[in-house]
């Protein structure tokens, strides 16, 4: 068995256009995703764009794995819920934490399942097929 390859880190030179600051694999993937007319949040989040500008090949949310979407969006929803509840409610800390965890699990599952549905519906390639070079 061959060892799994590490992600390729591409550090582009300073350029003027926003999209040309992304690695070539990201640009081609974004063009594919934009042609599908899916919501913008499924193509790239501000965090993804931040990493892409710095040359890190982080997979777009739609092409990421189920577990990474579950964890990523679950953490986002849980923290956002906990922040809103702590600012605008008089709940106890334990109630806020439990609600944040519940929202994280439910929200993460919903988004991860929806992304899996879209990947199957549009027959999209996996992220590994896009960024890995062919084995010789």
């Amino acid at each position: 068995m061959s060892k799994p390859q590490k992600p390729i880190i591409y550090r582009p030179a300073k350029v003027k256009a926003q999209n040309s600051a992304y690695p070539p694999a990201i640009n081609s993937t974004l063009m594919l995703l934009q042609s599908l007319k899916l919501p913008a949040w499924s193509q790239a989040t501000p965090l993804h764009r931040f990493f892409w500008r710095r040359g890190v090949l982080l997979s777009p949310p739609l092409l990421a794995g189920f577990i990474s979407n579950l964890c990523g969006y679950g953490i986002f929803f849980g923290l956002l819920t906990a922040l809103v509840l702590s600012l605008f409610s008089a709940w106890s800390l334990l109630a806020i934490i439990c609600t944040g965890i519940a929202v994280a699990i439910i929200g993460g599952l919903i988004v991860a399942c929806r992304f899996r549905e879209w990947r199957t519906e549009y027959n999209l390639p996996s992220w590994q097929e896009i960024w890995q070079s062919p084995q010789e």
Side-chain angles (χ1 to χ4, degrees), residues 1-90:
M1 288 190 117
S2 63
K3 293 193 301 187
Q5 294 181 342
K6 293 182 181 179
I8 301 166
I9 296 179
Y10 174 79
R11 301 194 192 288
K14 292 183 180 179
V15 288
K16 295 177 186 172
Q18 179 182 356
N19 281 347
S20 63
Y22 299 151
I26 297 296
N27 282 332
S28 62
T29 304
L30 283 178
M31 286 191 310
L32 168 71
L33 294 178
Q34 289 169 356
S35 69
L36 299 176
K37 306 286 190 242
L38 294 169
W41 61 268
S42 70
Q43 298 170 18
T45 63
L47 184 64
H48 283 84
R49 294 190 187 280
F50 172 81
F51 282 121
W52 292 340
R53 282 190 201 107
R54 277 138 190 86
V56 178
L57 282 180
L58 185 65
S59 67
L62 189 58
L63 301 179
F66 184 84
I67 298 296
S68 57
N69 280 329
L70 172 71
C71 293
Y73 282 95
I75 289 170
F76 170 74
F77 289 138
L79 290 176
L80 184 65
T81 302
L83 176 68
V84 168
L85 287 176
S86 65
L87 292 176
F88 300 112
S89 74

Side-chain angles (χ1 to χ4, degrees), residues 99-116:
T99 304
I101 291 171
V103 169
I105 292 169
I106 293 169
L109 273 172
I110 290 170
V111 172
C113 287
R114 188 64 181 141
F115 281 166
R116 177 169 281 183

